[in-house]
Amino acid sequence: MAEEVILLDTWVSPFGMRARIALAEKGIKHEHREEDLGNKSDLLLKMNPIHKTIPVLIHNGKPVCESNNIVQYLDEVWPDKSPLLPSDPYLRGQARFWADFVDRKVFDAGRKVWATKGEEQKSLMEEFIGHLKTLEAELDGKLYFGGEKMGYVDVTMVPIYSWFHAYEVSGNFSFESHCPKLVAWAERCMQHDSVSKALPSPEKVYQYVLQLRKRLGIE
Amino acid sequence: MAKEIKLLGTWASPFSHRIELALKLKGLQFQYLEEDLSNKSQLLLQSNPVHKKIPVLIHNGNPISESLLIMEYIDETWQHQNPLLPKDPYGRAAARFWAKFIDEKVLWTAFKAYNDKGKEQEDAIEEFSQQLKFLEEELKGKEYFGGERFGFVDIASFFILQFLRVLQEVKEAELMTEEKYPVLFEWMEKLQGNEVVAGCLPPREKHVAYVRARRAAAEEAASKTKAA
């Protein structure tokens, strides 16, 4: 039976990028559909009625929601090419722990930065950088969080790199000066086609952020 | 090789109860260490330096934290009895989705629904009611969230909902009722009737008294902050 794989996504979403990277790493043929979140498709509302968010992976008509779920699902259904999670249960637990940290700490702080300004924003940026430093320490001289090759945590984290330029311009600082090893890691990941093709241009992301802040009434 | 399992937990935490049950379902011997969260042990701080929270499972000296992740670890390490997650990837993805829904949406909305005031509370009550409806729909026609046998989602949600019932009693609210959610209540009763599950719940009165005291302290602290 031919596999039918559809990804509902939006170009700027770091969560969508995770799914894109995993699909590319595993060479999975799929149809990519761009959603307009201001006018969500019937398919999206049907496939993710609870959260109504992207990304949603639809495999042979059945939906998988939440980006980290999608990446784990792809890894379990297509385990042979580019395995993302380790086979040892303890190391899997560690990988999941750090992916959860990326979601609940890194991405969460990073997201809140855009909804604020002035002192509040400055303090959130500091928090964001603090979490990046924690991650950098976890990298601890390895090429990737996955070890010799990219793995689950790399796929979860690297999408935010496309947003770095926007943070740097808005906050008038450079990530290089705070967490150079993390920046080097991100650039190493970008050498992979699966990553460089999944991430949008930083300038495009920056323009998006400016529009977003105007819409939120912050700028 | 000696299997040494330690669980750092607290008697009142539903997250801690999850792990107790998972370990008991797998027939595992473990040492339970009660943490005083106002005076965290060196072991806790060393084992979970990033979040400094319970529960933490320490298996042969290796720590795992975050209750849902601990449950997955237990399931993958001890596969021989009472599987918690289904074998098929789609079922596993669905289980992870529902467990995360409980932790990241239901619990926090419920706190606001019970504790907030004014419009924020009204909105939260509406949202909480919608979330419970989703759970009710998901459970309809099944014995358990896990199907014929209870599993990952049942364990994840049962202790949280029991905790919310305690909070409901403290706040004298009526957001979760058998009338509104008959399927959920029948499922909770079924699990309460299971000896192993019930054995992981703290005595009801003790739990209510504890949550009441903590709410009072939180409200006092909040009013002091306002007055200051």
Side-chain angles (χ1 to χ4, degrees), chain A residues 149-167:
Chain A
K149 292 193 183 149
M150 286 199 308
Y152 183 53
V153 181
D154 303 274
V155 172
T156 302
M157 179 60 191
V158 79
I160 199 101
Y161 185 61
S162 62
W163 285 62
F164 271 20
H165 170 67
Y167 285 114

Side-chain angles (χ1 to χ4, degrees), chain B residues 5-9 16 19-20 23 30-33 55-57:
Chain B
I5 306 171
K6 287 188 180 135
L7 171 60
L8 309 184
S16 193
I19 310 308
E20 251 190 85
L23 290 168
F30 62 98
Q31 185 190 13
Y32 175 78
L33 296 167
V56 178
L57 187 81

Side-chain angles (χ1 to χ4, degrees), chain A residues 63 76 90 92 96 104, chain B residues 63 66 76 90 92 96 98:
Chain A
E76 289 177 13
Y90 185 71
R92 289 162 81 81
R96 288 177 181 135
R104 284 194 303 125
Chain B
E66 297 298 305
E76 288 177 359
Y90 187 77
R92 294 161 76 79
R96 288 173 184 138
W98 284 104

Side-chain angles (χ1 to χ4, degrees), chain A residues 22-42:
Chain A
L23 285 161
E25 276 290 305
K26 290 175 179 287
I28 298 167
K29 283 195 171 64
H30 64 281
E31 185 194 335
H32 182 270
R33 290 196 199 168
E34 184 72 14
E35 281 284 331
D36 171 3
L37 295 182
N39 183 19
K40 293 174 183 178
S41 71
D42 286 340

Side-chain angles (χ1 to χ4, degrees), chain B residues 157-227:
Chain B
S157 47
F158 176 73
F159 294 111
I160 295 291
L161 291 178
Q162 288 295 97
F163 171 77
L164 290 177
R165 286 172 81 181
V166 167
L167 182 58
Q168 179 161 278
E169 192 178 319
V170 167
K171 299 301 286 189
E172 290 172 16
E174 290 256 314
L175 304 180
M176 270 196 296
T177 63
E178 190 167 354
E179 211 175 22
K180 286 187 219 165
Y181 310 105
V183 177
L184 273 176
F185 270 74
E186 194 188 335
W187 161 82
M188 280 193 278
E189 229 184 274
K190 212 183 303 175
L191 283 170
Q192 269 169 275
N194 179 299
E195 217 180 298
V196 182
V197 177
C200 297
L201 282 170
R204 178 70 179 229
E205 279 109 55
K206 189 180 173 195
H207 210 184
V208 171
Y210 173 80
V211 172
R212 184 168 280 134
R214 283 201 47 146
R215 280 310 315 158
E219 272 153 30
E220 207 191 309
S223 65
K224 277 204 179 113
T225 315
K226 265 201 187 128

